[in-house]
């Protein structure tokens, strides 16, 4: 490749806060000993980026935002003996992706298979891998094929992936989505089929917004009716504060409440006695602990890629913003407007 620049464009956070915290600016190209330098084609936007920007998940300032991207390998450390070479197409999950270049540990790189474009490959990372462990690992031993599971937000983002993968695992999926996410379909049944759901609960939108009003439908009553009063063995909840009490009410005996996100705010502390009526379990997992080794990372990524190539997963790339439009992308996501993956292009 041509000689590398010393300065790049990127989005940095000097002080955590709202959209104003996102600064598109000149930054030094990061060169870290022992790591690969990736020239990014795209960076992925995930809800966790808003938590880092706002300080819910603290990071030391200043920092370059983003934790998911993909492109080509621009350089490798001297003496590198990995399977990679300069020019290879790769995706990764590592901090600092909102930039033209990102320095990435080599064991975090995932080769992009032939037949999969870069946008789709990046979409398969944070959201795809999260959905994979949520559907295949977290509830292992609790739910079995034919059991009901409840998945929130199946009209976009991680929920969209998770519902489809739960269906592939043989679960009966009850999904929730906002009304605006179903408007492109001829019927509610068509929307349910597209989202991978056996049953779909369509919620009103919050006034003036595109995200769901979780008080507009009695979700617990609907779930009880659908399951003949038995409830769901798994409740997979990325919404957080607005839904956690509903989630606990929807559980079957010895069911598992999986709280993996905070789209409406963090789940507050609650008494363990709330688990008593159903002898329920609760867990608050994170992706890094389910891709803790390179072998596990590649095993999950390759299964997701395989499903995509076989047409078993529907991937929606919703919007591509310029990297200098990071604030617009964050606002679009936080307003609940997304219908799929959101990307930034340097």
């Amino acid at each position: 490749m041509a000689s590398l620049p010393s300065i790049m464009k990127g989005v940095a956070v000097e002080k955590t806060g709202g959209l104003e915290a996102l600064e598109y600016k000149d930054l030094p190209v990061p060169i870290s000993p022992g790591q690969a330098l990736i020239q990014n084609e795209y960076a992925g936007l995930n809800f966790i980026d808003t938590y880092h920007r706002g300080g819910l998940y603290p990071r030391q300032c200043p920092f370059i935002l983003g934790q998911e991207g993909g492109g080509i390998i621009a350089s490798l450390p001297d003496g590198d003996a990995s399977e990679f070479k300069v020019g290879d197409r790769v995706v990764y999950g590592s901090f600092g992706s909102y930039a033209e270049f990102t320095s990435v540990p080599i064991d975090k790189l995932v080769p992009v298979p032939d037949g999969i474009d870069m946008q789709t490959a990046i979409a398969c990372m944070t959201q795809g891998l999260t959905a994979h462990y949520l559907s295949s690992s977290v509830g292992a031993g609790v739910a079995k094929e034919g059991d009901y599971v409840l998945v929130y937000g199946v009209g976009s983002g991680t929920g969209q992936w998770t519902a489809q993968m739960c269906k592939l695992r043989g679960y009966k999926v009850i999904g929730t989505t906002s009304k605006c996410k179903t408007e492109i379909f001829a019927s509610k049944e068509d929307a349910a089929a597209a989202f991978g759901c056996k049953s779909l609960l369509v919620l009103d939108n919050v006034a003036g917004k595109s995200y769901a009003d979780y008080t507009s439908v009695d979700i617990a009553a609907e779930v009880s009716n659908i399951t003949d009063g038995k409830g769901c063995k798994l409740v997979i909840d990325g919404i957080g504060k607005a839904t956690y009490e509903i989630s606990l009410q929807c559980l079957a005996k010895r069911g598992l409440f999986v709280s993996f996100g905070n789209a409406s705010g963090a789940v507050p502390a609650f008494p363990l006695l709330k688990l008593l009526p159903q002898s329920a379990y609760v867990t608050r997992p994170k992706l890094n602990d389910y891709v803790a080794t390179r072998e596990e990372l590649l095993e999950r990524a390759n299964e997701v890629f395989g499903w995509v190539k076989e047409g078993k997963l529907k991937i929606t790339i919703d919007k591509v913003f310029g990297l200098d439009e990071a604030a617009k992308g964050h606002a679009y996501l936080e307003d609940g407007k997304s219908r799929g993956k959101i990307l930034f292009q340097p």
Side-chain angles (χ1 to χ4, degrees):
M1 294 186 66
S3 60
L4 297 170
S6 59
I7 299 295
M8 66 177 185
K9 291 291 188 181
V11 177
V13 174
E14 299 286 339
K15 183 179 179 181
T16 56
L19 299 177
E20 74 284 351
L22 300 170
E23 298 184 40
Y24 181 70
K25 60 197 297 186
D26 288 335
L27 297 163
V29 172
I31 302 294
S32 300
Q35 297 192 358
L37 184 68
I38 309 304
Q39 184 172 4
N40 291 316
E41 295 181 21
Y42 300 96
L45 170 59
N46 298 286
F47 245 109
I48 195 171
D49 300 345
T50 70
Y51 308 154
H52 289 149
R53 184 205 75 213
L56 178 64
Y57 293 176
R59 291 179 60 186
Q60 184 174 349
C61 292
F63 59 88
I64 299 174
L65 200 58
Q67 62 166 33
E68 167 192 68
I72 61 171
I73 297 177
S75 70
L76 289 164
D78 291 339
D80 173 64
S82 70
E83 72 268 33
F84 297 107
K85 63 182 184 299
V86 171
D88 283 352
R89 298 192 314 149
V90 294
V91 288
Y92 62 86
S94 188
F95 287 142
S97 63
Y98 284 23
E100 292 181 291
F101 293 89
T102 304
S103 183
V104 181
I106 292 172
D107 64 357
K108 298 293 186 183
L109 298 177
V110 176
V112 178
D114 292 340
I116 293 189
D117 64 84
M118 187 59 70
Q119 290 188 357
T120 299
I122 294 172
C124 290
M125 290 303 288
T126 300
Q127 291 179 351
L129 294 178
T130 297
H132 190 278
Y133 87 74
L134 289 173
S135 61
S136 65
S137 299
V138 173
V142 176
K144 64 182 184 301
E145 187 174 341
D147 284 338
Y148 278 100
V149 303
L150 173 64
V151 181
Y152 292 93
V154 298
S156 63
T158 303
Q160 192 174 58
W161 288 83
T162 304
Q164 293 181 74
M165 291 190 198
C166 283
K167 182 180 178 181
L168 287 173
R169 298 292 183 195
Y171 301 138
K172 298 175 183 176
V173 181
I174 302 171
T176 75
T177 190
S178 57
K179 189 173 294 182
C180 68
K181 303 289 174 67
T182 65
E183 292 171 349
I184 63 172
F185 298 99
S187 67
K188 177 180 171 181
E189 291 71 25
D190 287 349
F195 297 150
C197 300
K198 182 177 178 63
S199 302
L200 183 64
L201 306 181
V202 179
L203 314 179
D204 291 341
N205 302 332
V206 172
K209 297 291 185 181
S210 298
Y211 49 78
D213 177 359
Y214 289 95
T215 66
S216 65
V217 171
D218 189 338
I219 295 173
E222 293 289 335
V223 166
S224 180
N225 182 57
I226 292 167
T227 64
D228 295 326
K230 295 179 180 179
C232 295
K233 277 293 188 178
L234 290 179
V235 175
I236 300 176
D237 184 343
I239 308 303
K241 185 177 181 181
T243 52
Y244 79 98
E245 291 193 285
I246 300 169
S247 295
L248 292 172
Q249 294 170 31
C250 291
L251 287 170
K253 296 294 184 186
R254 292 161 61 178
L256 174 63
F257 168 37
V258 183
S259 176
F260 77 95
N262 320 280
S264 66
V267 174
F270 62 86
L272 285 177
L273 284 175
K274 283 184 175 289
L275 304 177
L276 181 61
Q278 301 296 73
S279 294
Y281 306 97
V282 62
T283 185
R284 201 340 179 156
K286 64 180 186 295
L287 174 60
N288 283 349
D289 290 333
Y290 287 85
V291 288
T293 66
R294 179 155 182 79
E295 290 73 24
E296 190 173 27
L297 170 63
L298 293 179
E299 180 181 352
R300 293 193 190 282
N302 288 334
E303 185 162 32
V304 174
F305 287 147
W307 284 336
V308 171
K309 292 178 75 171
E310 293 167 12
K312 294 180 178 179
L313 286 177
K314 177 187 175 185
I315 310 305
T316 302
I317 305 299
D318 182 22
K319 288 276 189 180
V320 179
F321 292 93
L323 193 55
D324 58 344
E325 299 178 300
K328 288 184 180 179
H330 277 229
Y332 184 81
L333 179 66
E334 291 179 297
D335 284 344
K337 295 179 180 178
S338 67
R339 297 175 185 270
K341 188 62 183 178
I342 304 170
L343 299 170
F344 293 122
Q345 186 171 27

